[in-house]
Amino acid sequence: MVDNSVVVEMRNISIEFPGVKALDGVDLTLRAGEIHSLLGENGAGKSTLIKALTGVYAIDGGTINVAGATRTFHGTADAQDAGVAPVYQEINLLPNLSVGENVMLGHEVRGKFGINWKATHEKARTYLKELGLDVDPRSLLASHSIAVQQLVAISRAVVIDCRLLVLDEPTSSLDRSEVDQLFAVMRRLRGRNVAILFVSHFLDQVYEISDTMTILRNGKLEGEYPINALNKKQLIEKMLGRELAELDSISRAATRKIDRTGEPILKVLALGRKGAIEPVDLDVFDGEVLGLAGLLGSGRTELARIIYGADHADHGAIQVRGEHVRFAKPRQAIDHRIAFSSEDRRAEGAIADLTVAENIVLGVQAKRGWIRRVGSAQQDQLIAQYMESLGIRPNNPNALLSTLSGGNQQKVLLARWLATAPQLLILDEPTRGIDVGAKAEIQRLVVDLAESGIGVIFISSELDEVMRLAQRIVVLRDHRKIGELKNSAKTGVDDIVAMIAKEGAA
Amino acid sequence: MTSWLKNLMKKRIMWPVGALVVLILVNVLYRPSFLKITVLDGRFYGSLMDILRNSAPLMLVSLGMCLVIATRGIDLSVGSQMAISGAVALTIISHSPTPNSLATVLGAIGVGVLITLLFGIWNGFLVALLGIQPIIATLVLWLAGRGIALLITGGFITTINSAPYKTIAQGNVLGFPVEFLIGLAAIIVVVLLVRRTALGVLTEAIGINPAASRLAGVRSRGIIWSLYGLSGLLAGVAGILYSSNIMAADSNAAGNGIELDAILAVVLGGTSLAGGKFTLGGTVVGVFIIQTLASTVTFLGVPSANVSVFKAAVVIVVVVSQAPMVRNWFGRQFRSSKTASPTATPVAMERTAA
């Protein structure tokens, strides 16, 4: 093997966003000639850590050492000067230039009369050859597949002589043979003593290519392990976490008897969308919490969005209380008293610059249309009722939503939906990124709502949470439903983990 | 509404109101008669009355522009639409055997405004339904509109003699110019429409976060569509006012460049071009600033060729003062030195956006 000197050492890194601690004392050590995987569920802090490393975010605490010297990154240029070259999923190249021009951009061979294009392209060819890429440097970049373009982006790392390459989900749009090609290039770079940080949600690929892994959870460091120290099941457990139930009273909710004899609120038959989720059957009954479990990218959110009409289904059917319906847009689902709270609170839920009151009333108002404004008296009554029952803090309906903490914003969004009196509530990661106290309150609320007769589809990365709340759990993996289990005193997180980890059509 | 929120509203509108006050003071300083209003034959006369009267077309156009901008859009076609409604109305009147009958005039105005309403709906169709970028979608009519107007008038400047039509721009009711009263009525109607219904808050929701609004069930498409229609309708009325002023349909001059004045008025008033929160009150003040500025420039004897330089100076001040960097700098000057590092603000903003 090659020398294993430390290239980058991040110690005790903390980054705070308004209202939430995105990273809390995280360490990351990247060594020369090592492929290092960064693992964690969505929201665990992976991309935040990468953005700190590549200079996109300034860190609020901790130190970054590059080759032994402490560095402060004020921007991405600082990071690139230090030899950190990120290759992002969406590729930052110039598609209308040739491959060679892209590879050599800024490092063209110069002669007496300016740039010597012949020599430049020759040099590009040598660099590409070194990485085992047989691409004509004079061909137009845009004429190549995404995979090849990505490899060209990576080969730039050799030209600028970088010491650390950051690959953020590079395989997400590649097929198997392209992945093999990418891995071959990565191994060659490793041989040249480059440190590589690899992020992928395909765990099989992580095991295939990496030497070491660092696991994050909820913005905190779970640990650094050699790749062989954990098997896949242990890894999933570390990623998902197993919070011990401080919420025993809630856990009994999972075994509550549900009357499934009548007509379900929602029945989904072979509902699917190409590339998002393969046809799925499921149903939800009055007062039932149906959990959707699975790793990130397993199709949980995709399924929820299709049910709600946020995305179009290209297959299957939906029945609401036995009546066949088609949802081409959310509006139609809402008219059938179905509500959906998105996992991306900031982009798809909160109207940040409106007040808490306006946000709460928005759902009811949208339902009525703009002409019939909800009367002041009714508004005040709705606002008071939900701010009180959900315990929204600060207790000021005129505060802008953006000034509230994540947990309180989430409560406001729930209030928005509850005010529309839904019969079915789809909650996608309602407890992500909020503190433990608010988390418990929202779980409690879900239980209360279900007991009052509302059906709930509950999506969460945290299996403990799903086990605690749901009477039935649908398990998804690789955009497919791989099973469904009834929650009972005997079932545990292990059953789901085993189901997901079980070798199948990987 | 709590006093805290009222304070915030005051702050938002403080800038434009302050600018207007400064402008008026400058005028009073150079010509003490500026504020003087005389009564002659039961009518009010004076510089202020002129400003109020002349601001009406820009007022109508800016109110529509403000709402369109709130949806993250823009309507560049308003000037051309003014030309169209004027051309339609005057062509009808000039071909009518009874140009002096009230029915003819009302009918002509109705048809002219209806047609711009339809053109506004066309804009809305391009933006809301086809998803074309507003600046491009309305550029179509900006380009084509004057051509259409010239087509209607047969390439000539149509002139008419019609007493009722003349009254619109040059008549008086209760001592006030009719044109001003039309502008005032438009303000009242639009404010009631926006604030007494839920149109205002839903428009803001769409402008602030379109994706979240869609998931919350807001009928964004319909609302955006109607607002472009409203903008067309208001531009149509503005075109009637303009043509009544000169009693001619001058398709090249009508509303020429007014789209930029309207955008300026909206921005001056404190509504961001990024969309979302809007203030009609601020827009009204913005219109008065522009009109007072025009009057000041005329009075000071600045050659009309140089008027645009003055406007440019105002634009620079407004745009620069709205830039985040400058705002943060101002914020830092007013913040006590013991607060956290000043650079934290822009970084945090970027993060929330990311």
Side-chain angles (χ1 to χ4, degrees):
Chain A
M1 271 298 274
V2 281
D3 96 295
N4 259 346
S5 62
V6 171
V7 176
V8 172
E9 191 173 26
M10 301 176 84
R11 280 283 160 271
N12 216 11
I13 301 293
S14 294
I15 288 189
E16 260 178 82
F17 295 152
V20 61
K21 211 155 190 178
L23 285 180
D24 187 4
V26 172
D27 299 341
L28 179 66
T29 310
L30 302 169
R31 300 170 194 86
E34 180 185 273
I35 297 176
H36 196 123
S37 279
L38 185 60
L39 294 158
E41 266 290 273
N42 208 357
K46 285 177 303 185
S47 49
T48 311
L49 186 62
I50 289 175
K51 283 179 176 158
L53 175 64
T54 52
V56 178
Y57 290 166
I59 52 174
D60 296 326
T63 53
I64 302 178
N65 278 302
V66 180
T70 304
R71 305 288 286 253
T72 313
F73 295 155
H74 292 295
T76 48
D78 289 349
Q80 278 175 26
D81 285 346
V84 180
V87 174
Y88 291 113
Q89 236 169 313
E90 65 282 12
I91 301 157
N92 298 315
L93 292 176
L94 309 164
N96 52 342
L97 294 186
S98 74
V99 170
E101 284 164 338
N102 270 292
V103 171
M104 301 298 294
L105 191 71
H107 298 264
E108 296 87 354
V109 181
R110 280 169 191 281
K112 230 183 278 176
F113 307 105
I115 294 170
N116 180 342
W117 287 111
K118 193 162 181 256
T120 302
H121 280 113
E122 270 321 302
K123 206 163 168 199
R125 190 190 299 278
T126 355
Y127 279 128
L128 292 168
K129 273 260 166 59
E130 274 180 53
L131 295 177
L133 291 174
D134 189 20
V135 184
D136 178 9
R138 287 197 177 270
S139 57
L140 202 64
L141 182 76
S143 66
H144 294 286
S145 69
I146 292 289
V148 172
Q149 294 189 28
Q150 207 148 33
L151 294 171
V152 170
I154 292 170
S155 65
R156 262 191 69 72
V158 186
V159 178
I160 62 176
D161 192 26
C162 82
R163 282 167 287 174
L164 169 64
L165 188 64
V166 180
L167 299 173
D168 192 357
E169 293 282 1
T171 58
S172 57
S173 49
L174 306 190
D175 68 27
R176 186 60 235 182
S177 67
E178 292 168 335
V179 169
D180 288 338
Q181 208 178 358
L182 172 73
F183 283 179
V185 169
M186 285 170 69
R187 291 196 181 97
R188 274 173 210 253
L189 285 169
R190 173 169 64 187
R192 292 170 61 110
N193 253 335
V194 175
I196 299 176
L197 182 64
F198 178 70
V199 180
S200 171
H201 65 262
F202 299 107
L203 298 186
D204 294 334
Q205 295 177 0
V206 168
Y207 277 99
E208 187 182 337
I209 190 76
S210 39
D211 305 307
T212 316
M213 53 188 170
T214 290
I215 304 170
L216 301 181
R217 184 155 63 86
N218 287 335
K220 295 202 179 76
L221 180 69
E222 180 70 34
E224 189 198 284
Y225 307 89
I227 196 71
N228 296 324
L230 300 176
N231 64 28
K232 203 192 260 178
K233 183 165 167 258
Q234 290 166 316
L235 170 62
I236 295 173
E237 281 176 5
K238 295 258 185 223
M239 281 167 60
L240 298 183
R242 317 193 54 179
E243 276 176 35
L244 288 169
E246 69 270 12
L247 304 145
D248 279 338
S249 65
I250 293 178
S251 65
R252 268 197 306 271
T255 50
R256 194 160 48 89
K257 278 262 179 298
I258 302 296
D259 173 20
R260 294 195 183 87
T261 52
E263 194 78 64
I265 304 175
L266 176 84
K267 194 173 173 71
V268 159
L269 299 159
L271 191 71
R273 175 184 165 91
K274 206 167 177 303
I277 180 85
E278 286 172 38
V280 167
D281 290 340
L282 57 79
D283 49 12
V284 190
F285 288 83
D286 283 308
E288 183 178 32
V289 180
L290 179 76
L292 287 190
L295 292 175
L296 170 68
S298 58
R300 304 174 308 204
T301 299
E302 289 83 346
L303 178 58
R305 290 182 65 93
I306 290 170
I307 293 175
Y308 185 60
D311 293 328
H312 296 270
D314 53 19
H315 197 274
I318 302 176
Q319 290 175 13
V320 176
R321 297 220 180 266
E323 178 201 348
H324 274 280
V325 290
R326 284 189 72 84
F327 297 150
K329 49 189 171 190
R331 186 68 262 149
Q332 293 164 329
I334 295 169
D335 289 341
H336 283 89
R337 293 174 54 216
I338 295 176
F340 170 68
S341 162
S342 165
E343 62 174 335
D344 194 342
R345 193 168 56 234
R346 196 176 289 155
E348 299 189 331
I351 315 276
D353 288 341
L354 290 188
T355 63
V356 169
E358 287 168 328
N359 267 286
I360 291 177
V361 180
L362 185 69
V364 179
Q365 186 65 67
K367 211 167 177 174
R368 292 170 63 126
W370 65 268
I371 296 172
R372 294 187 307 130
R373 184 166 170 271
V374 181
S376 311
Q378 198 193 341
Q379 287 202 19
D380 291 346
Q381 186 263 323
L382 279 177
I383 294 158
Q385 178 191 340
Y386 287 106
M387 290 197 69
E388 165 76 30
S389 65
L390 303 189
I392 293 168
R393 294 287 171 275
N395 192 4
N396 172 11
N398 294 317
L400 290 185
L401 187 65
S402 54
T403 60
L404 270 62
S405 71
N408 280 298
Q409 288 191 17
Q410 189 67 57
K411 289 187 205 166
V412 170
L413 298 184
L414 285 174
R416 179 193 289 169
W417 286 122
L418 295 179
T420 66
Q423 56 178 336
L424 176 69
L425 197 54
I426 306 173
L427 301 175
D428 193 358
E429 297 278 8
T431 63
R432 174 189 295 166
I434 65 181
D435 61 65
V436 177
K439 215 175 239 186
E441 284 180 76
I442 285 175
Q443 292 178 4
R444 176 85 257 165
L445 181 71
V446 170
V447 170
D448 291 347
L449 288 172
E451 275 171 3
S452 77
I454 295 179
V456 180
I457 296 181
F458 189 88
I459 303 174
S460 174
S461 303
E462 291 182 43
L463 296 183
D464 275 346
E465 196 173 73
V466 179
M467 295 302 293
R468 201 148 54 224
L469 301 178
Q471 288 87 39
R472 256 187 320 152
I473 298 161
V474 167
V475 184
L476 300 171
R477 179 190 147 144
D478 298 337
H479 309 294
R480 273 188 311 116
K481 174 176 172 179
I482 55 171
E484 184 175 318
L485 43 95
K486 263 211 179 97
N487 211 342
S488 72
K490 280 174 287 177
T491 42
V493 172
D494 291 330
D495 295 310
I496 300 180
V497 172
M499 220 168 185
I500 297 174
K502 200 170 65 188
E503 291 307 325
Chain B
M1 212 188 269
T2 64
S3 62
W4 173 82
L5 194 70
K6 272 184 187 158
N7 281 336
L8 194 79
M9 296 297 279
K10 268 184 199 154
K11 258 187 218 163
R12 277 162 56 105
I13 209 166
M14 213 173 62
W15 256 91
V17 168
L20 184 59
V21 169
V22 168
L23 259 178
I24 290 176
L25 285 180
V26 168
N27 274 288
V28 171
L29 217 61
Y30 282 95
R31 47 170 169 167
S33 68
F34 180 75
L35 291 176
K36 207 171 138 199
I37 292 173
T38 52
V39 185
L40 199 72
D41 296 341
R43 296 183 188 180
F44 299 103
Y45 286 98
S47 308
L48 275 186
M49 292 314 293
D50 287 343
I51 290 174
L52 289 181
R53 195 180 82 93
N54 295 338
S55 61
L58 182 59
M59 185 68 75
L60 293 166
V61 166
S62 302
L63 290 171
M65 186 69 79
C66 177
L67 295 174
V68 167
I69 284 177
T71 67
R72 296 191 171 185
I74 202 143
D75 188 350
L76 294 184
S77 69
V78 284
S80 302
Q81 299 211 42
M82 279 175 68
I84 293 176
S85 74
V88 169
L90 264 69
T91 305
I92 293 176
I93 293 173
S94 71
H95 283 79
S96 152
T98 54
N100 276 313
S101 104
L102 188 65
T104 308
V105 169
L106 287 180
I109 293 173
V111 174
V113 171
L114 185 72
I115 285 183
T116 55
L117 171 66
L118 292 177
F119 276 118
I121 289 172
W122 161 256
N123 281 336
F125 167 75
L126 293 183
V127 174
L129 210 77
L130 300 189
I132 298 173
Q133 285 178 349
I135 198 165
I136 302 301
T138 58
L139 195 62
V140 171
L141 207 49
W142 178 86
L143 276 169
R146 288 184 196 285
I148 295 173
L150 281 171
L151 215 64
I152 294 168
T153 60
F156 300 106
I157 295 179
T158 307
T159 55
I160 54 161
N161 275 313
S162 166
Y165 201 73
K166 195 168 185 172
T167 312
I168 300 168
Q170 294 167 31
N172 286 272
V173 170
L174 302 169
F176 289 101
V178 171
E179 198 173 359
F180 161 68
L181 294 176
I182 291 176
L184 188 67
I187 298 173
I188 293 169
V189 168
V190 172
V191 167
L192 288 182
L193 177 72
V194 163
R195 295 299 177 194
R196 300 303 293 178
T197 68
L199 184 60
V201 70
L202 293 183
T203 302
E204 288 182 330
I206 295 167
I208 295 167
N209 193 337
S213 302
R214 173 171 178 260
L215 287 182
V218 179
R219 292 176 176 85
S220 320
R221 237 180 228 176
I223 289 175
I224 294 175
W225 199 331
S226 348
L227 290 177
Y228 278 92
L230 179 65
S231 175
L233 181 111
L234 289 166
V237 177
I240 300 294
L241 295 185
Y242 181 90
S243 60
S244 160
N245 245 306
I246 57 172
M247 291 305 278
D250 184 346
S251 302
N252 288 311
N256 193 7
I258 202 171
E259 58 278 349
L260 299 182
D261 276 347
I263 294 168
L264 184 60
V266 171
V267 174
L268 270 173
T271 300
S272 161
L273 281 182
K277 286 272 186 189
F278 65 89
T279 147
L280 288 171
T283 301
V284 170
V285 175
V287 170
F288 286 137
I289 291 177
I290 291 176
Q291 207 59 50
T292 310
L293 195 69
S295 156
T296 312
V297 166
T298 318
F299 172 74
L300 291 179
V302 178
S304 59
N306 297 351
V307 171
S308 26
V309 177
F310 276 79
K311 268 190 198 162
V314 177
V315 176
I316 289 176
V317 170
V318 171
V319 171
V320 167
S321 71
Q322 285 211 346
M325 252 179 90
V326 178
R327 277 192 182 173
N328 285 330
W329 185 83
F330 270 110
R332 245 178 289 153
Q333 302 310 306
F334 295 123
R335 220 181 291 148
S336 67
S337 54
K338 65 175 186 224
T339 49
S341 77
T343 51
T345 325
V347 173
M349 281 173 62
E350 192 191 340
R351 275 182 210 159
T352 14

